[in-house]
Amino acid sequence: MPDDGNIVRRTVDFKPNADSNTLLRHREYHRLHRLFVALRPPGAMRRKLLDIMDGVEGARWQDEGQLHVTLRYIGAVERPVAEDIAVALQAVHAPALDLALSGVGRFDTGSRGRALWAGVTPHDAVAALHRKVDHALVRIGLQPEGRAFLPHITLARLNRTAGPVDSFLAAQAALSSPPQRFDHLILYESHLGQDGAWYEPIVRYPLR
């Protein structure tokens, strides 16, 4: 995963070559793209989070390239819809955000699964951007976000064999950081590999 300074806008060419009728290109056109919209934490914040990832047996800690603040989960879509999404997000206009780390928590059930997370604040600023992203996607036909929005950065995934987390939660309850600037909205594609998911930044949209 490239660092922020190396993430560039990739040409979102989701349309097949009109001169090709091969089965391969047909399959590629209909391949599903697992998308989400997120903010990428600055380097100092990512390093601080990596430093606290310890103390829970069996936890699948996130690596540096997986750290993000999800604004809108989209899910699997075909190329024409992915192209529409990339264009629709150009209409999202918002100022850059100055966000700080604020405590830790866990998800035990539900659509987010079992996980440890770090909070970010102020909530209202992130929630306002979330709503703008959601509205932009609803305007092109996607369903509105169906779950309550809680701005956070996932630290670890927990399976049924993971050890107790209470000691970690207590030790990191006061987690904090100085406010840091988040100045881009990013459309990511999630890829599943042998070692888990990795996230490819597709398009960066400036916040200013």
Side-chain angles (χ1 to χ4, degrees), residues 47-77:
R47 290 190 291 272
K48 186 177 184 70
L49 293 174
L50 292 171
D51 286 345
I52 69 169
M53 292 184 187
D54 194 13
V56 179
E57 184 178 356
R60 290 187 291 119
W61 299 103
Q62 301 291 277
D63 63 30
E64 189 272 346
Q66 293 173 311
L67 297 175
H68 63 273
V69 181
T70 300
L71 290 172
R72 177 61 150 82
Y73 176 74
I74 297 170
V77 298

Side-chain angles (χ1 to χ4, degrees), residues 107-115 157-158:
F107 297 128
D108 285 327
T109 58
S111 59
R112 294 185 176 95
R114 299 184 67 229
R157 305 289 182 184
L158 306 172

